[in-house]
Amino acid sequence: ERDNSSLSKAEKESERHEKRKQKEIFSPAMPEAKVMQKTQTKPKLKICCACPDTRKVRDKCTLMKGPENCEREIEAHKVCLRKLGFKV
């Protein structure tokens, strides 16, 4: 650390900025915080566009047999959606 009394206001601000950057770079908690943020974000797809394969099977089954006879297909689609981060 050096003596701040002889530094200009801009130099002091620059030094504080550098210290903050170093803390961010070397902080052990930083990567964990970024990982937590990424896992808590919303899915990038819209739910209507997610899992097209299971959606087609589910839709065809419910049209032909009715939803009460397609529980397996409906549940398979829900599992796929949950894997992508949707809460269904």
Side-chain angles (χ1 to χ4, degrees):
E1 296 255 340
R2 56 186 189 169
D3 183 21
N4 284 354
S5 60
S6 62
L7 297 176
S8 71
K9 188 174 182 178
E11 289 173 321
K12 288 178 184 178
E13 185 59 35
S14 177
E15 196 170 273
R16 279 194 295 263
H17 178 72
E18 283 300 315
K19 285 181 183 178
R20 274 194 303 257
K21 269 180 35 180
Q22 286 179 355
K23 277 185 181 178
E24 289 175 8
I25 291 170
F26 297 109
S27 172
M30 196 64 170
E32 293 171 21
K34 285 185 179 180
V35 169
M36 288 296 290
Q37 279 182 337
K38 287 181 182 178
T39 58
Q40 293 175 353
T41 58
K42 291 183 179 179
K44 293 183 181 191
L45 286 173
K46 292 182 180 179
I47 196 165
C48 61
C49 301
C51 301
D53 296 334
T54 58
R55 180 176 36 86
K56 287 176 189 173
V57 172
R58 179 207 63 186
D59 291 350
K60 185 176 179 180
C61 183
T62 54
L63 284 172
M64 302 299 279
K65 301 177 185 177
E68 62 280 349
N69 297 314
C70 299
E71 291 178 20
R72 189 180 74 211
E73 291 82 357
I74 293 169
E75 190 57 34
H77 186 58
K78 286 181 181 179
V79 167
C80 181
L81 293 172
R82 287 182 191 121
K83 284 181 182 178
L84 294 177
F86 292 99
K87 296 179 181 174
V88 291

